[in-house]
Amino acid sequence: MRIMVLILLSVSILFTGCDILKSEATIERAEKYMDRDDIDKAIEVYEELVDNDEEDYEAWFGLADAYMEDEEFEDAGDMLLDMAEVIIDNYDEEDEDLQDIIDDYDDFAEDLADEDVV
């Protein structure tokens, strides 16, 4: 019985760990696509990440960067509006990490404004 519980626990930890690694590998894969200038593939991966976890701000910023790199400024602007809603829904003024995200968001918005898109 103990062995069965240990096996089940080990399998459970393994699958949980695989999900975490999969998420990191997906960000890594998107970044590799960006490095190879395969922006369309990077956008696909970032969109998948955002669809899977709307609070994955690293994916949001990666997506914004990919849109900007591909000169899809209108899509980048629309995406930033969607991201603003997520930030507002999750805002906690005591969350310092979220304040950093808001600062990064402002930087992207300024970059878009420089392109006369927003």
Side-chain angles (χ1 to χ4, degrees), residues 90-96 98-99 102:
N90 295 294
Y91 182 73
D92 176 358
E93 63 187 43
E94 295 180 19
D95 185 348
E96 292 177 18
L98 193 54
Q99 186 57 52
I102 292 169

Side-chain angles (χ1 to χ4, degrees), residues 49 69 85 94 110 118:
L49 281 168
E69 184 72 26
E85 290 180 29
E94 295 180 19
E110 287 175 16
V118 291

Side-chain angles (χ1 to χ4, degrees), residues 26-27 29-48 59 61-73 75-76:
T26 305
I27 287 283
R29 188 177 59 193
E31 290 170 348
K32 285 181 181 179
Y33 285 134
M34 291 290 289
D35 291 342
R36 294 180 192 148
D37 290 327
D38 192 347
I39 307 303
D40 291 335
K41 285 284 193 185
I43 288 172
E44 285 178 27
V45 173
Y46 284 126
E47 286 177 340
E48 181 181 331
F61 287 121
L63 183 57
D65 190 41
Y67 281 142
M68 298 275 291
E69 184 72 26
D70 205 30
E71 297 184 1
E72 295 181 30
F73 302 117
D75 288 338

Side-chain angles (χ1 to χ4, degrees), residues 5-24:
V5 170
L6 288 174
I7 290 172
L8 290 174
L9 183 60
S10 297
V11 169
S12 173
I13 291 171
L14 177 66
F15 283 118
T16 303
C18 288
D19 287 343
I20 292 169
L21 292 175
K22 181 179 177 188
S23 177
E24 290 173 10

